[in-house]
């Protein structure tokens, strides 16, 4: 089983910054992509952004250049740098990895437990 552990969530004021971290562990053969999703109460989980093993990134339209996803392949860690946050960014943020564990015949999606980000004055 691939394990993902997020950290860095908390309370931040509008316009402020926050950095989330997610470390993957386990007997991982390969991680194809790592990224972040978020879910607000009463809403479906949605993509924030992700980075591929080749270093390509993709973001949701609402990010509007405010967030950056980066990856440290040697540490199997992905980061989400959040700048100029807004109240509507309030959500539980989940780490995701599309990865192959040693018992898997093909890559699968793995999820962290989530970390809460609250944007409020």
């Amino acid at each position: 089983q691939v394990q993902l552990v997020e950290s860095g969530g908390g309370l931040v004021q509008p316009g402020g910054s926050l950095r989330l971290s997610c470390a993957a562990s386990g007997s991982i053969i390969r991680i194809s992509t790592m990224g972040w999703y978020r879910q607000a109460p009463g809403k479906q989980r949605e993509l924030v952004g992700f980075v591929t093993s080749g270093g390509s990134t993709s973001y949701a339209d609402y990010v509007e250049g405010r967030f950056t996803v980066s990856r440290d392949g040697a540490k199997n860690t992905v980061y989400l740098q959040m700048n100029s946050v807004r109240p509507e960014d309030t959500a539980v943020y989940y780490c995701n990895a599309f990865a192959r564990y040693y018992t898997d015949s093909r890559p699968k999606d793995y999820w962290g437990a989530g970390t809460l980000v609250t944007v409020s004055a």
Side-chain angles (χ1 to χ4, degrees), residues 1-3 25-28 101-104 109-111:
Q1 178 73 30
V2 175
Q3 296 172 296
S25 63
S27 299
I28 302 168
Y101 188 60
Y102 82 102
T103 59
D104 294 338
D109 275 313
Y110 293 89
W111 296 92

Side-chain angles (χ1 to χ4, degrees), residues 2-5 22-26 28 31 34 75-78 95 97 99:
V2 175
Q3 296 172 296
L4 303 175
V5 180
C22 172
S25 63
I28 302 168
I31 299 177
M34 295 189 75
K75 298 180 180 179
N76 286 334
T77 299
V78 65
C95 180

